[in-house]
Amino acid sequence: MTDNTSRERDDAATDGGRETNDVATDGGRATDDAATDGGVASTGAAQAHNDTDYLGAEVNILSPSTPYMRDHLRIVWTGFAIWVLAVWGPVTLTRLAPGPMTQTMPILGFPLHYFLVAFGAPTSALILAFWYSRKRDALDDKYGIEHTDVAATDGGVDE
């Protein structure tokens, strides 16, 4: 693993050895020109996101250092809490109230606890995956994060 703390802002590994105002890096535009960010991050959360040094920021899941990390962890912890309830809720209810939870359901003929674990837990996992992807997309839009196509694993060579 590489220690990135010793890298300077103008390190050749990050900017190819170019100067700060080099035409190849910023197109010769002024620092506050709206064209440098496509007009997306001119104010608000997106601008703060663009000004954040994520490689140098401390990562702590209990006390995140950036607004983006705080918002993302709120989504993750909410999803985790719902998942715990969906998976362990029927098991806990069966322990606390075995009578109603072990009765056979009139329609399918399964005990209620079995149905909730066998059908409810996987279904809730699929719903949570869909929910997380929607929330994450909304968060990326809020902070002006755009996902670009990644190069093929074969070095970008088409077959």
Side-chain angles (χ1 to χ4, degrees):
M1 191 162 170
T2 307
D3 179 21
N4 290 333
T5 58
S6 65
R7 289 198 176 150
E8 295 295 326
R9 197 159 195 67
D10 60 348
D11 189 8
T14 58
D15 63 5
R18 298 183 189 101
E19 294 294 324
T20 305
N21 294 325
D22 190 10
V23 175
T25 58
D26 64 5
R29 296 183 197 104
T31 306
D32 59 351
D33 188 7
T36 58
D37 63 4
V40 175
S42 57
T43 60
Q47 183 63 40
H49 164 70
N50 286 339
D51 294 338
T52 303
D53 177 24
Y54 285 102
L55 291 177
E58 178 182 342
V59 177
N60 182 345
I61 64 170
L62 300 176
S63 178
S65 60
T66 65
Y68 176 80
M69 289 179 191
R70 273 191 297 279
D71 291 347
H72 183 241
L73 281 175
R74 187 177 302 118
I75 294 169
V76 169
W77 285 116
T78 302
F80 179 71
I82 294 169
W83 176 82
V84 166
L85 288 174
V87 171
W88 294 102
V91 175
T92 305
L93 284 174
T94 302
R95 176 75 174 143
L96 296 175
M101 291 298 288
T102 56
Q103 287 182 356
T104 304
M105 294 183 348
I107 297 173
L108 297 174
F110 291 112
L112 180 59
H113 73 284
Y114 180 81
F115 176 76
L116 289 176
V117 171
F119 180 76
T123 303
S124 65
L126 289 173
I127 292 169
L128 277 172
F130 178 74
W131 172 81
Y132 174 78
S133 69
R134 302 287 290 193
K135 295 295 276 186
R136 181 66 189 264
D137 287 345
L139 187 65
D140 289 349
D141 289 343
K142 176 182 176 182
Y143 286 95
I145 297 173
E146 294 181 17
H147 298 278
T148 59
D149 293 336
V150 293
T153 56
D154 61 355
V157 178
D158 293 331
E159 291 185 25

